[in-house]
Amino acid sequence: MPEEIVYSVPGMHCHHCVAAVRDEVSAVSGVSSVDVDLAAKRVVVHGEALDDAALRAAIDEAGYDAELA
């Protein structure tokens, strides 16, 4: 069954940030799509069997902290 997890990523401030987060999160197993809203500083991840720890690690790898929104 498809899932959705929403993160607040307050450190994002430019389109490079958006691309970095999208690229890292898209590579996580189970992710089907990633929507990044720079203005709201939110990342919405869609997929199946999503792993919160893996998603947070991917956002961390991109250089940002994430909290569940």
Side-chain angles (χ1 to χ4, degrees), residues 11-67:
M12 293 189 304
H13 62 274
C14 66
H15 292 289
H16 171 74
C17 304
V18 169
V21 170
R22 183 180 294 122
D23 290 348
E24 290 292 337
V25 173
S26 292
V28 175
S29 178
V31 173
S32 60
S33 68
V34 181
D35 298 316
V36 182
D37 183 336
L38 180 59
K41 301 192 184 304
R42 293 170 62 99
V43 176
V44 182
V45 183
H46 303 273
E48 295 199 20
L50 297 174
D51 180 347
D52 177 58
L55 294 170
R56 287 177 188 251
I59 294 170
D60 183 65
E61 184 68 26
Y64 306 96
D65 292 323
E67 298 176 8

